[in-house]
Amino acid sequence: MNLPKELKYSEEHEWVKQEGDNKVRIGITDFAQDELGDIVFVELPEEGDELEYNTPFGSVESVKTVSELYAPVSGKVLEVNSELDESPENVNDSPYEDGWMIVVEMSDPSQLDNLMDADKYESMVSE
Amino acid sequence: MSQLKRTPLYPVYKDEAKLVPFGGWEMPVQFSGIKAEHERVRTRAGLFDVSHMGEVEVTGPDALALLQQLMTNDVSTLESGRIQYTAMCYPDGGTVDDLLVYKRSDERYLLVINAANIEKDVEWIRKHATGNVRVTNVSDETALLALQGPQAETILQKLTETDLASIKPFHFQEEVRLGDVRGLVSRTGYTGEDGFEIYLPAEDAPVLWKRILEAGEEEGVAPCGLGARDTLRFEARLALYGNELSASITPVEAGLGFAVKPGKGDFIGREVLAKQKEEGPPRKLVGLEMIGRGIPRSHYPVYVGEEEVGEITSGTQSPTLKKNMGLALLQSEHAQLGNEVDVDIRGKRIPAKIVKTPFYQRSKQ
């Protein structure tokens, strides 16, 4: 399982990468994409939408199931990876690079403290 | 929660497959991935462990009379060595199960039933058994492998001297020698492709599993899970009990009227089913292709304007068509081909149109 050390992780299997004081990039973990299997559809919010911590902001669908995406932080959506419309399999092939989902401007950066580091996330999912 | 059951093949693939609970069983949902396995079956061949399916022997001088009373299809027309698809219904026409009937001889039949329904079916069959007939559940000692795809015959032929080309669709042959083991070989399947299903003693299943994978290496056979089995049967519009059929859905509503023969004489559910065949059922199973973005899933409501007119029974992105498709049970007046409906996908109404089924049909040679 690939879990980059520089990222933070949520209990709902999102990764969060800090890219500035208030800016984070968000996607789902290698563990999550593997559990879902072949991803065929990703539904994301639009630029400018407001996200609320721990509430659904979109969904990922594999051939078999639907899985909701939960906001790991509150804030405003700055960018959306529209390439996933045409190439949802990028989430399987490259969950931390091409498979990124949104960039968010955080309204409360202290929410990052609720997230796990790679070691803690790994022990959570291997239980 | 009770312990999940495992098939005799569990030890063979437990480390290479992703396992999930299914109908009380711990079964492989995928090996390499659902899309890859689906494609493999459509173009080459796939090997499935479907040993969770139930097998029930019905034997004795009154076997046929019992089956005629239980089944919607006319079992009396079945010849030895042949297989019939049928439903078994409640008096109100709702479905107990859908199944295959194998006729071995005039007094010996084998029923192949859905895994999740084994106890219920056996109880139902025994409850109606009268006279000189024996009902034996042989599910636990019987394994079932399905080899499906255009290369299935070429691969299986390498293991046997029996001429497999002589086993036509919906025919079977017993005691076929396949390498070191023997089994009942049936030209049937649940994928929309040509292929075989092989019934054999549970203890012989691991050997045959390995032999088939070895024999088919050149043809590109791959082990496949229940995930691909579901997308394959979905594209071919083969009903899945619990989705397209249930105690509250009749076989006529599910588009299985071809397996309902009211003219054969009395059977359980006849009155309701005969009326539905004659006047048309209140609901019909249709195919949907999404127009808007979204994937329909089981139980999502379907609307025409503000009126709820039915629900999705199965849905996914069709791996062959790469389109988001669904099967839906709709009120008959809204079930015309070409009609537009809305599917309620987690609170959003997404447009779809009624299209022809099956979504996939193999080209016959």
PDB file of all heavy atoms in Angstrom, chain A residues 34-35 37-38 40-43 59 61-66 85, chain B residues 18 29 33-35 230-231 293-295 297 300 316-317 346 348:
ATOM      1  N   ASP A  34      -8.157   0.811  -4.153  1.00  0.00           N
ATOM      2  CA  ASP A  34      -8.016  -0.639  -4.288  1.00  0.00           C
ATOM      3  C   ASP A  34      -9.261  -1.368  -3.770  1.00  0.00           C
ATOM      4  O   ASP A  34      -9.720  -2.345  -4.355  1.00  0.00           O
ATOM      5  CB  ASP A  34      -6.759  -1.105  -3.546  1.00  0.00           C
ATOM      6  CG  ASP A  34      -6.452  -2.556  -3.839  1.00  0.00           C
ATOM      7  OD1 ASP A  34      -6.269  -2.881  -5.023  1.00  0.00           O
ATOM      8  OD2 ASP A  34      -6.424  -3.372  -2.893  1.00  0.00           O
ATOM      9  N   GLU A  35      -9.796  -0.872  -2.671  1.00  0.00           N
ATOM     10  CA  GLU A  35     -11.014  -1.473  -2.119  1.00  0.00           C
ATOM     11  C   GLU A  35     -12.196  -1.316  -3.075  1.00  0.00           C
ATOM     12  O   GLU A  35     -13.007  -2.224  -3.234  1.00  0.00           O
ATOM     13  CB  GLU A  35     -11.377  -0.809  -0.782  1.00  0.00           C
ATOM     14  CG  GLU A  35     -10.547  -1.274   0.389  1.00  0.00           C
ATOM     15  CD  GLU A  35     -10.832  -2.728   0.750  1.00  0.00           C
ATOM     16  OE1 GLU A  35     -12.000  -3.044   1.036  1.00  0.00           O
ATOM     17  OE2 GLU A  35      -9.893  -3.539   0.720  1.00  0.00           O
ATOM     18  N   GLY A  37     -12.130  -0.962  -6.358  1.00  0.00           N
ATOM     19  CA  GLY A  37     -11.976  -1.631  -7.652  1.00  0.00           C
ATOM     20  C   GLY A  37     -12.100  -0.622  -8.781  1.00  0.00           C
ATOM     21  O   GLY A  37     -11.980   0.593  -8.560  1.00  0.00           O
ATOM     22  N   ASP A  38     -12.399  -1.129  -9.984  1.00  0.00           N
ATOM     23  CA  ASP A  38     -12.422  -0.274 -11.178  1.00  0.00           C
ATOM     24  C   ASP A  38     -13.357   0.922 -11.018  1.00  0.00           C
ATOM     25  O   ASP A  38     -14.578   0.758 -10.984  1.00  0.00           O
ATOM     26  CB  ASP A  38     -12.884  -1.074 -12.396  1.00  0.00           C
ATOM     27  CG  ASP A  38     -11.910  -2.179 -12.750  1.00  0.00           C
ATOM     28  OD1 ASP A  38     -10.696  -1.940 -12.663  1.00  0.00           O
ATOM     29  OD2 ASP A  38     -12.378  -3.271 -13.123  1.00  0.00           O
ATOM     30  N   VAL A  40     -15.414   4.008 -12.295  1.00  0.00           N
ATOM     31  CA  VAL A  40     -15.998   4.345 -13.593  1.00  0.00           C
ATOM     32  C   VAL A  40     -16.687   5.711 -13.591  1.00  0.00           C
ATOM     33  O   VAL A  40     -17.097   6.198 -14.645  1.00  0.00           O
ATOM     34  CB  VAL A  40     -16.994   3.261 -14.065  1.00  0.00           C
ATOM     35  CG1 VAL A  40     -16.258   1.959 -14.358  1.00  0.00           C
ATOM     36  CG2 VAL A  40     -18.097   3.016 -13.041  1.00  0.00           C
ATOM     37  N   PHE A  41     -16.802   6.336 -12.430  1.00  0.00           N
ATOM     38  CA  PHE A  41     -17.524   7.608 -12.381  1.00  0.00           C
ATOM     39  C   PHE A  41     -17.138   8.370 -11.120  1.00  0.00           C
ATOM     40  O   PHE A  41     -17.128   7.797 -10.031  1.00  0.00           O
ATOM     41  CB  PHE A  41     -19.030   7.329 -12.375  1.00  0.00           C
ATOM     42  CG  PHE A  41     -19.893   8.544 -12.549  1.00  0.00           C
ATOM     43  CD1 PHE A  41     -19.943   9.215 -13.761  1.00  0.00           C
ATOM     44  CD2 PHE A  41     -20.657   9.006 -11.494  1.00  0.00           C
ATOM     45  CE1 PHE A  41     -20.753  10.330 -13.918  1.00  0.00           C
ATOM     46  CE2 PHE A  41     -21.475  10.122 -11.647  1.00  0.00           C
ATOM     47  CZ  PHE A  41     -21.523  10.784 -12.866  1.00  0.00           C
ATOM     48  N   VAL A  42     -16.796   9.649 -11.298  1.00  0.00           N
ATOM     49  CA  VAL A  42     -16.463  10.494 -10.144  1.00  0.00           C
ATOM     50  C   VAL A  42     -17.334  11.739 -10.225  1.00  0.00           C
ATOM     51  O   VAL A  42     -17.378  12.412 -11.257  1.00  0.00           O
ATOM     52  CB  VAL A  42     -14.972  10.901 -10.158  1.00  0.00           C
ATOM     53  CG1 VAL A  42     -14.650  11.747  -8.932  1.00  0.00           C
ATOM     54  CG2 VAL A  42     -14.073   9.668 -10.190  1.00  0.00           C
ATOM     55  N   GLU A  43     -18.061  12.007  -9.173  1.00  0.00           N
ATOM     56  CA  GLU A  43     -18.904  13.201  -9.133  1.00  0.00           C
ATOM     57  C   GLU A  43     -18.301  14.181  -8.133  1.00  0.00           C
ATOM     58  O   GLU A  43     -18.121  13.849  -6.960  1.00  0.00           O
ATOM     59  CB  GLU A  43     -20.324  12.817  -8.695  1.00  0.00           C
ATOM     60  CG  GLU A  43     -21.290  13.962  -8.879  1.00  0.00           C
ATOM     61  CD  GLU A  43     -22.703  13.617  -8.415  1.00  0.00           C
ATOM     62  OE1 GLU A  43     -22.858  12.679  -7.605  1.00  0.00           O
ATOM     63  OE2 GLU A  43     -23.631  14.309  -8.857  1.00  0.00           O
ATOM     64  N   SER A  59     -19.014  11.880  -4.941  1.00  0.00           N
ATOM     65  CA  SER A  59     -19.031  10.423  -4.827  1.00  0.00           C
ATOM     66  C   SER A  59     -18.100   9.800  -5.860  1.00  0.00           C
ATOM     67  O   SER A  59     -17.782  10.409  -6.883  1.00  0.00           O
ATOM     68  CB  SER A  59     -20.458   9.897  -5.022  1.00  0.00           C
ATOM     69  OG  SER A  59     -20.949  10.295  -6.277  1.00  0.00           O
ATOM     70  N   GLU A  61     -17.734   6.128  -7.957  1.00  0.00           N
ATOM     71  CA  GLU A  61     -18.443   4.889  -8.235  1.00  0.00           C
ATOM     72  C   GLU A  61     -17.532   3.904  -8.955  1.00  0.00           C
ATOM     73  O   GLU A  61     -16.870   4.244  -9.923  1.00  0.00           O
ATOM     74  CB  GLU A  61     -19.684   5.146  -9.098  1.00  0.00           C
ATOM     75  CG  GLU A  61     -20.643   6.112  -8.428  1.00  0.00           C
ATOM     76  CD  GLU A  61     -22.045   6.026  -8.975  1.00  0.00           C
ATOM     77  OE1 GLU A  61     -22.470   4.918  -9.353  1.00  0.00           O
ATOM     78  OE2 GLU A  61     -22.707   7.073  -9.020  1.00  0.00           O
ATOM     79  N   SER A  62     -17.522   2.700  -8.453  1.00  0.00           N
ATOM     80  CA  SER A  62     -16.838   1.619  -9.159  1.00  0.00           C
ATOM     81  C   SER A  62     -17.912   0.843  -9.916  1.00  0.00           C
ATOM     82  O   SER A  62     -19.093   1.173  -9.853  1.00  0.00           O
ATOM     83  CB  SER A  62     -16.108   0.712  -8.174  1.00  0.00           C
ATOM     84  OG  SER A  62     -17.039   0.069  -7.344  1.00  0.00           O
ATOM     85  N   VAL A  63     -17.495  -0.186 -10.638  1.00  0.00           N
ATOM     86  CA  VAL A  63     -18.464  -1.010 -11.350  1.00  0.00           C
ATOM     87  C   VAL A  63     -19.535  -1.488 -10.374  1.00  0.00           C
ATOM     88  O   VAL A  63     -20.723  -1.515 -10.674  1.00  0.00           O
ATOM     89  CB  VAL A  63     -17.752  -2.221 -11.996  1.00  0.00           C
ATOM     90  CG1 VAL A  63     -18.773  -3.140 -12.642  1.00  0.00           C
ATOM     91  CG2 VAL A  63     -16.738  -1.757 -13.033  1.00  0.00           C
ATOM     92  N   LYS A  64     -19.091  -1.835  -9.175  1.00  0.00           N
ATOM     93  CA  LYS A  64     -19.940  -2.522  -8.210  1.00  0.00           C
ATOM     94  C   LYS A  64     -20.687  -1.590  -7.247  1.00  0.00           C
ATOM     95  O   LYS A  64     -21.820  -1.863  -6.903  1.00  0.00           O
ATOM     96  CB  LYS A  64     -19.014  -3.451  -7.414  1.00  0.00           C
ATOM     97  CG  LYS A  64     -19.699  -4.550  -6.671  1.00  0.00           C
ATOM     98  CD  LYS A  64     -19.781  -5.843  -7.454  1.00  0.00           C
ATOM     99  CE  LYS A  64     -20.637  -6.826  -6.696  1.00  0.00           C
ATOM    100  NZ  LYS A  64     -21.723  -7.367  -7.469  1.00  0.00           N
ATOM    101  N   THR A  65     -20.031  -0.526  -6.782  1.00  0.00           N
ATOM    102  CA  THR A  65     -20.630   0.249  -5.684  1.00  0.00           C
ATOM    103  C   THR A  65     -20.429   1.756  -5.809  1.00  0.00           C
ATOM    104  O   THR A  65     -19.637   2.231  -6.611  1.00  0.00           O
ATOM    105  CB  THR A  65     -20.018  -0.137  -4.314  1.00  0.00           C
ATOM    106  OG1 THR A  65     -18.617   0.124  -4.370  1.00  0.00           O
ATOM    107  CG2 THR A  65     -20.260  -1.570  -3.953  1.00  0.00           C
ATOM    108  N   VAL A  66     -21.153   2.467  -4.953  1.00  0.00           N
ATOM    109  CA  VAL A  66     -21.026   3.917  -4.820  1.00  0.00           C
ATOM    110  C   VAL A  66     -20.414   4.206  -3.469  1.00  0.00           C
ATOM    111  O   VAL A  66     -20.806   3.608  -2.474  1.00  0.00           O
ATOM    112  CB  VAL A  66     -22.407   4.596  -4.817  1.00  0.00           C
ATOM    113  CG1 VAL A  66     -22.253   6.101  -4.879  1.00  0.00           C
ATOM    114  CG2 VAL A  66     -23.268   4.082  -5.933  1.00  0.00           C
ATOM    115  N   ASP A  85     -13.746  13.401 -15.343  1.00  0.00           N
ATOM    116  CA  ASP A  85     -14.990  13.159 -16.086  1.00  0.00           C
ATOM    117  C   ASP A  85     -14.757  12.123 -17.181  1.00  0.00           C
ATOM    118  O   ASP A  85     -15.547  11.210 -17.372  1.00  0.00           O
ATOM    119  CB  ASP A  85     -15.480  14.444 -16.781  1.00  0.00           C
ATOM    120  CG  ASP A  85     -16.109  15.406 -15.797  1.00  0.00           C
ATOM    121  OD1 ASP A  85     -16.227  15.039 -14.616  1.00  0.00           O
ATOM    122  OD2 ASP A  85     -16.459  16.521 -16.214  1.00  0.00           O
TER     123      ASP A  85
ATOM    124  N   LYS B  18     -10.139 -11.104  -4.171  1.00  0.00           N
ATOM    125  CA  LYS B  18     -10.753 -10.263  -3.150  1.00  0.00           C
ATOM    126  C   LYS B  18     -12.056 -10.937  -2.755  1.00  0.00           C
ATOM    127  O   LYS B  18     -12.920 -11.185  -3.601  1.00  0.00           O
ATOM    128  CB  LYS B  18     -11.006  -8.866  -3.705  1.00  0.00           C
ATOM    129  CG  LYS B  18     -11.544  -7.911  -2.656  1.00  0.00           C
ATOM    130  CD  LYS B  18     -11.771  -6.523  -3.217  1.00  0.00           C
ATOM    131  CE  LYS B  18     -10.453  -5.798  -3.453  1.00  0.00           C
ATOM    132  NZ  LYS B  18     -10.684  -4.456  -4.067  1.00  0.00           N
ATOM    133  N   VAL B  29     -15.092 -11.801  -5.234  1.00  0.00           N
ATOM    134  CA  VAL B  29     -15.792 -10.791  -6.046  1.00  0.00           C
ATOM    135  C   VAL B  29     -14.938 -10.445  -7.267  1.00  0.00           C
ATOM    136  O   VAL B  29     -15.458 -10.140  -8.328  1.00  0.00           O
ATOM    137  CB  VAL B  29     -16.165  -9.547  -5.224  1.00  0.00           C
ATOM    138  CG1 VAL B  29     -14.943  -8.805  -4.721  1.00  0.00           C
ATOM    139  CG2 VAL B  29     -17.049  -8.603  -6.022  1.00  0.00           C
ATOM    140  N   GLY B  33      -9.606  -7.793 -11.526  1.00  0.00           N
ATOM    141  CA  GLY B  33     -10.425  -6.584 -11.610  1.00  0.00           C
ATOM    142  C   GLY B  33     -11.654  -6.888 -12.440  1.00  0.00           C
ATOM    143  O   GLY B  33     -11.574  -7.668 -13.398  1.00  0.00           O
ATOM    144  N   ILE B  34     -12.787  -6.291 -12.082  1.00  0.00           N
ATOM    145  CA  ILE B  34     -14.050  -6.661 -12.723  1.00  0.00           C
ATOM    146  C   ILE B  34     -14.037  -6.364 -14.223  1.00  0.00           C
ATOM    147  O   ILE B  34     -14.435  -7.192 -15.036  1.00  0.00           O
ATOM    148  CB  ILE B  34     -15.242  -5.955 -12.030  1.00  0.00           C
ATOM    149  CG1 ILE B  34     -15.386  -6.490 -10.593  1.00  0.00           C
ATOM    150  CG2 ILE B  34     -16.541  -6.183 -12.812  1.00  0.00           C
ATOM    151  CD1 ILE B  34     -16.441  -5.784  -9.760  1.00  0.00           C
ATOM    152  N   LYS B  35     -13.541  -5.180 -14.607  1.00  0.00           N
ATOM    153  CA  LYS B  35     -13.563  -4.823 -16.025  1.00  0.00           C
ATOM    154  C   LYS B  35     -12.687  -5.751 -16.854  1.00  0.00           C
ATOM    155  O   LYS B  35     -13.065  -6.197 -17.935  1.00  0.00           O
ATOM    156  CB  LYS B  35     -13.132  -3.371 -16.228  1.00  0.00           C
ATOM    157  CG  LYS B  35     -14.244  -2.380 -15.905  1.00  0.00           C
ATOM    158  CD  LYS B  35     -13.740  -0.978 -15.721  1.00  0.00           C
ATOM    159  CE  LYS B  35     -13.367  -0.295 -17.029  1.00  0.00           C
ATOM    160  NZ  LYS B  35     -12.902   1.099 -16.767  1.00  0.00           N
ATOM    161  N   ASP B 230     -21.740 -10.766 -12.450  1.00  0.00           N
ATOM    162  CA  ASP B 230     -22.902  -9.887 -12.360  1.00  0.00           C
ATOM    163  C   ASP B 230     -22.961  -8.916 -13.538  1.00  0.00           C
ATOM    164  O   ASP B 230     -24.034  -8.719 -14.122  1.00  0.00           O
ATOM    165  CB  ASP B 230     -22.879  -9.124 -11.032  1.00  0.00           C
ATOM    166  CG  ASP B 230     -24.160  -8.353 -10.792  1.00  0.00           C
ATOM    167  OD1 ASP B 230     -25.244  -8.914 -11.022  1.00  0.00           O
ATOM    168  OD2 ASP B 230     -24.084  -7.178 -10.391  1.00  0.00           O
ATOM    169  N   THR B 231     -21.851  -8.295 -13.935  1.00  0.00           N
ATOM    170  CA  THR B 231     -21.903  -7.346 -15.057  1.00  0.00           C
ATOM    171  C   THR B 231     -22.168  -8.094 -16.368  1.00  0.00           C
ATOM    172  O   THR B 231     -22.856  -7.576 -17.252  1.00  0.00           O
ATOM    173  CB  THR B 231     -20.611  -6.522 -15.171  1.00  0.00           C
ATOM    174  OG1 THR B 231     -19.466  -7.392 -15.224  1.00  0.00           O
ATOM    175  CG2 THR B 231     -20.455  -5.581 -13.981  1.00  0.00           C
ATOM    176  N   ARG B 293     -25.612  12.507 -16.572  1.00  0.00           N
ATOM    177  CA  ARG B 293     -24.474  11.854 -15.942  1.00  0.00           C
ATOM    178  C   ARG B 293     -24.900  11.182 -14.640  1.00  0.00           C
ATOM    179  O   ARG B 293     -25.468  11.831 -13.770  1.00  0.00           O
ATOM    180  CB  ARG B 293     -23.350  12.856 -15.664  1.00  0.00           C
ATOM    181  CG  ARG B 293     -22.724  13.438 -16.915  1.00  0.00           C
ATOM    182  CD  ARG B 293     -21.526  14.312 -16.578  1.00  0.00           C
ATOM    183  NE  ARG B 293     -20.363  13.508 -16.235  1.00  0.00           N
ATOM    184  CZ  ARG B 293     -19.672  13.625 -15.127  1.00  0.00           C
ATOM    185  NH1 ARG B 293     -20.020  14.492 -14.218  1.00  0.00           N
ATOM    186  NH2 ARG B 293     -18.623  12.855 -14.918  1.00  0.00           N
ATOM    187  N   GLY B 294     -24.595   9.905 -14.508  1.00  0.00           N
ATOM    188  CA  GLY B 294     -24.917   9.203 -13.284  1.00  0.00           C
ATOM    189  C   GLY B 294     -25.121   7.741 -13.573  1.00  0.00           C
ATOM    190  O   GLY B 294     -25.406   7.364 -14.714  1.00  0.00           O
ATOM    191  N   ILE B 295     -24.940   6.913 -12.544  1.00  0.00           N
ATOM    192  CA  ILE B 295     -25.112   5.477 -12.710  1.00  0.00           C
ATOM    193  C   ILE B 295     -26.317   5.032 -11.884  1.00  0.00           C
ATOM    194  O   ILE B 295     -26.363   5.270 -10.684  1.00  0.00           O
ATOM    195  CB  ILE B 295     -23.853   4.714 -12.258  1.00  0.00           C
ATOM    196  CG1 ILE B 295     -22.634   5.174 -13.073  1.00  0.00           C
ATOM    197  CG2 ILE B 295     -24.053   3.196 -12.402  1.00  0.00           C
ATOM    198  CD1 ILE B 295     -21.334   4.518 -12.666  1.00  0.00           C
ATOM    199  N   ARG B 297     -28.579   2.590  -9.760  1.00  0.00           N
ATOM    200  CA  ARG B 297     -28.276   1.437  -8.899  1.00  0.00           C
ATOM    201  C   ARG B 297     -29.577   0.850  -8.381  1.00  0.00           C
ATOM    202  O   ARG B 297     -30.603   1.537  -8.319  1.00  0.00           O
ATOM    203  CB  ARG B 297     -27.403   1.875  -7.713  1.00  0.00           C
ATOM    204  CG  ARG B 297     -26.091   2.550  -8.093  1.00  0.00           C
ATOM    205  CD  ARG B 297     -25.058   1.548  -8.556  1.00  0.00           C
ATOM    206  NE  ARG B 297     -23.787   2.201  -8.850  1.00  0.00           N
ATOM    207  CZ  ARG B 297     -22.699   1.560  -9.268  1.00  0.00           C
ATOM    208  NH1 ARG B 297     -22.738   0.243  -9.455  1.00  0.00           N
ATOM    209  NH2 ARG B 297     -21.591   2.206  -9.514  1.00  0.00           N
ATOM    210  N   TYR B 300     -33.083   2.518  -6.842  1.00  0.00           N
ATOM    211  CA  TYR B 300     -33.269   3.952  -7.077  1.00  0.00           C
ATOM    212  C   TYR B 300     -34.648   4.138  -7.725  1.00  0.00           C
ATOM    213  O   TYR B 300     -34.988   3.430  -8.678  1.00  0.00           O
ATOM    214  CB  TYR B 300     -32.189   4.509  -8.008  1.00  0.00           C
ATOM    215  CG  TYR B 300     -30.812   4.675  -7.398  1.00  0.00           C
ATOM    216  CD1 TYR B 300     -30.536   4.293  -6.092  1.00  0.00           C
ATOM    217  CD2 TYR B 300     -29.780   5.232  -8.152  1.00  0.00           C
ATOM    218  CE1 TYR B 300     -29.267   4.452  -5.558  1.00  0.00           C
ATOM    219  CE2 TYR B 300     -28.512   5.400  -7.627  1.00  0.00           C
ATOM    220  CZ  TYR B 300     -28.254   5.006  -6.318  1.00  0.00           C
ATOM    221  OH  TYR B 300     -27.003   5.170  -5.801  1.00  0.00           O
ATOM    222  N   THR B 316     -25.317  -0.469 -13.626  1.00  0.00           N
ATOM    223  CA  THR B 316     -23.874  -0.272 -13.528  1.00  0.00           C
ATOM    224  C   THR B 316     -23.415   0.418 -14.803  1.00  0.00           C
ATOM    225  O   THR B 316     -24.242   0.745 -15.664  1.00  0.00           O
ATOM    226  CB  THR B 316     -23.127  -1.622 -13.355  1.00  0.00           C
ATOM    227  OG1 THR B 316     -21.740  -1.376 -13.090  1.00  0.00           O
ATOM    228  CG2 THR B 316     -23.248  -2.497 -14.599  1.00  0.00           C
ATOM    229  N   GLN B 317     -22.123   0.651 -14.922  1.00  0.00           N
ATOM    230  CA  GLN B 317     -21.599   1.071 -16.203  1.00  0.00           C
ATOM    231  C   GLN B 317     -21.287  -0.200 -16.977  1.00  0.00           C
ATOM    232  O   GLN B 317     -20.470  -1.010 -16.544  1.00  0.00           O
ATOM    233  CB  GLN B 317     -20.338   1.911 -16.040  1.00  0.00           C
ATOM    234  CG  GLN B 317     -19.850   2.412 -17.393  1.00  0.00           C
ATOM    235  CD  GLN B 317     -18.647   3.314 -17.276  1.00  0.00           C
ATOM    236  OE1 GLN B 317     -17.504   2.869 -17.348  1.00  0.00           O
ATOM    237  NE2 GLN B 317     -18.891   4.593 -17.068  1.00  0.00           N
ATOM    238  N   ARG B 346     -29.589   9.467  -5.779  1.00  0.00           N
ATOM    239  CA  ARG B 346     -29.261  10.094  -4.499  1.00  0.00           C
ATOM    240  C   ARG B 346     -29.751  11.543  -4.418  1.00  0.00           C
ATOM    241  O   ARG B 346     -29.010  12.466  -4.107  1.00  0.00           O
ATOM    242  CB  ARG B 346     -27.739  10.006  -4.250  1.00  0.00           C
ATOM    243  CG  ARG B 346     -27.254   8.548  -4.228  1.00  0.00           C
ATOM    244  CD  ARG B 346     -25.800   8.401  -3.863  1.00  0.00           C
ATOM    245  NE  ARG B 346     -24.862   8.981  -4.802  1.00  0.00           N
ATOM    246  CZ  ARG B 346     -24.533   8.446  -5.987  1.00  0.00           C
ATOM    247  NH1 ARG B 346     -25.080   7.308  -6.351  1.00  0.00           N
ATOM    248  NH2 ARG B 346     -23.667   9.036  -6.768  1.00  0.00           N
ATOM    249  N   LYS B 348     -30.979  13.476  -6.877  1.00  0.00           N
ATOM    250  CA  LYS B 348     -31.019  14.257  -8.120  1.00  0.00           C
ATOM    251  C   LYS B 348     -31.753  13.479  -9.207  1.00  0.00           C
ATOM    252  O   LYS B 348     -31.519  12.296  -9.369  1.00  0.00           O
ATOM    253  CB  LYS B 348     -29.597  14.537  -8.614  1.00  0.00           C
ATOM    254  CG  LYS B 348     -28.876  15.608  -7.847  1.00  0.00           C
ATOM    255  CD  LYS B 348     -27.537  15.901  -8.531  1.00  0.00           C
ATOM    256  CE  LYS B 348     -26.591  16.570  -7.555  1.00  0.00           C
ATOM    257  NZ  LYS B 348     -25.203  16.525  -7.989  1.00  0.00           N
TER     258      LYS B 348
END
